[in-house]
């Protein structure tokens, strides 16, 4: 029997805009006082010394979301995020997690398992995880996982070797660069942005034109992955949203 592990990470750029105004009342957040329903002990039905637990893993990275940008942690309970609030209430909230100050190095850090200073601290399209470094998807793929990526990549696009499909993922629908129009996937290209290019890549080549908003596009692709997945095989799905990154 396979179990499901859902992990969320948000990249916090600045907390200053979310600080509670002086004299404002603290928002009610009763679920933060509840004990977690998740046991720290291995499930005896799925984990033994001879056959270790290999849960399905869905890792969702939300781009440039501030520390108080979700309902459960917002001073005034806005925005409304009931699904994520429910995951926090029934799961484990790790409060001592730190991310880099912008998006690219945070992604490369997660994928490589290294601190940004040891992989990249630059936020550019040609930066990312060097070819000589293994990624988490490389490791999980060797452990028998089916590995899939849906969303923003921004971990290297200077050569074919740096594409998600060649970094340990069995399939990928990717915004390769740092940002693009959420609907058209267009972004400036060339010296000084002299021309416009479409940035949407599936596996080894350009993806079909789509006018869906980026979040729906990447979620729909992920749902197709889940529909076609054999649940007997452990799954690693890297959901890396472009939202709430500009434009």
């Amino acid at each position: 029997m396979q179990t499901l592990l859902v992990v969320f990470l948000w990249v916090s750029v600045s907390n200053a805009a979310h600080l509670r105004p002086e004299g404002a009342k603290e928002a009610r957040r009763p679920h933060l006082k509840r004990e977690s329903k998740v046991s720290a002990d291995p499930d005896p039905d799925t984990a033994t010394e001879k056959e270790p637990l290999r849960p399905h893993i869905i890792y969702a990275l939300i781009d440039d979301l501030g520390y108080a940008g979700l309902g459960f942690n917002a001073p005034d309970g806005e925005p409304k995020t009931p699904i994520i609030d429910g995951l926090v209430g029934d799961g484990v909230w790790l409060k001592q997690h730190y991310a880099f100050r912008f998006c690219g190095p945070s992604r490369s850090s997660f994928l490589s398992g290294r601190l940004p200073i040891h992989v990249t601290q630059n936020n550019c399209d040609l930066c990312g995880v060097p070819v000589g470094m293994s990624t988490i998807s490389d490791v999980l793929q060797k452990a028998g996982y089916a590995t899939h990526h849906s969303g923003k990549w921004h971990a290297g696009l200077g050569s074919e070797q740096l594409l998600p499909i060649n970094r340990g993922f069995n399939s990928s629908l990717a915004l390769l660069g740092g940002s693009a129009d959420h609907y058209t996937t267009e972004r400036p290209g060339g010296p000084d942005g002299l021309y416009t290019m479409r940035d949407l890549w599936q596996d080894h080549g350009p993806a079909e034109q789509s006018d869906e908003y980026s979040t729906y596009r990447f979620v729909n692709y992920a749902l197709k992955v889940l529909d076609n997945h054999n649940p007997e095989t452990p799954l690693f799905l890297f959901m890396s949203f472009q939202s709430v990154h500009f434009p």
Side-chain angles (χ1 to χ4, degrees):
M1 180 179 70
Q2 295 287 347
T3 58
L4 174 63
L5 173 65
V6 181
V7 182
F8 281 87
L9 168 68
W10 52 90
V11 184
S12 180
V13 174
S14 172
N15 297 335
H18 304 290
L19 296 178
R20 188 167 67 251
E22 185 176 353
K25 295 181 179 180
E26 183 176 359
R28 293 182 178 181
R29 293 178 279 182
H31 67 282
L32 300 183
K33 299 179 182 179
R34 295 201 305 261
E35 292 186 4
S36 173
K37 300 177 183 178
V38 180
S39 172
D41 299 324
D43 185 340
D45 295 330
T46 58
T48 65
E49 290 184 3
K50 294 184 179 180
E51 189 174 346
L53 176 65
R54 294 195 299 171
H56 299 307
I57 303 171
I58 299 177
Y59 190 99
L61 191 153
I62 308 173
D63 203 335
D64 287 2
L65 181 67
Y67 181 75
L70 296 170
F72 73 89
N73 200 38
D76 299 317
E78 292 286 348
K80 303 295 184 183
T81 54
I83 302 299
I84 296 179
D85 294 359
L87 290 173
V88 172
D90 294 336
V92 178
W93 180 19
L94 304 179
K95 304 177 184 179
Q96 297 297 319
H97 182 85
Y98 298 92
F100 203 68
R101 67 182 184 271
F102 36 67
C103 52
S106 292
R107 294 167 185 276
S108 294
S109 181
F110 164 68
L111 287 165
S112 66
R114 293 169 167 84
L115 293 172
I117 193 173
H118 297 304
V119 54
T120 181
Q121 296 186 85
N122 296 313
N123 200 39
C124 66
D125 286 346
L126 297 180
C127 308
V129 183
V131 174
M133 291 184 180
S134 297
T135 64
I136 185 174
S137 44
D138 286 325
V139 175
L140 289 174
Q141 197 176 62
K142 291 177 182 178
Y145 273 74
T147 56
H148 301 275
H149 166 257
S150 181
K152 178 177 167 180
W153 178 242
H154 207 198
L157 54 73
S159 71
E160 189 174 351
Q161 292 175 295
L162 296 173
L163 296 176
I165 196 70
N166 295 320
R167 301 311 307 263
F169 289 100
N170 297 118
S171 77
S172 169
L173 179 66
L175 163 69
L176 293 177
S179 65
D181 186 280
H182 284 281
Y183 291 97
T184 66
T185 72
E186 293 180 348
R187 65 188 184 95
D192 301 320
L194 294 179
Y195 60 85
T196 298
M197 57 179 289
R198 287 185 58 242
D199 187 350
L200 188 63
W201 203 264
Q202 184 167 353
D203 297 341
H204 296 283
E208 294 182 2
Q209 176 71 39
S210 170
D211 292 328
E212 288 181 293
Y213 187 74
S214 65
T215 299
Y216 296 113
R217 179 188 306 119
F218 295 133
V219 167
N220 288 335
Y221 180 82
L223 291 175
K224 291 179 182 178
V225 167
L226 295 176
D227 287 341
N228 294 322
H229 179 71
N230 179 359
E232 296 301 315
T233 300
L235 169 74
F236 172 56
L237 173 60
F238 179 29
M239 287 288 304
S240 58
F241 295 96
Q242 180 183 351
S243 294
V244 292
H245 192 285
F246 74 89

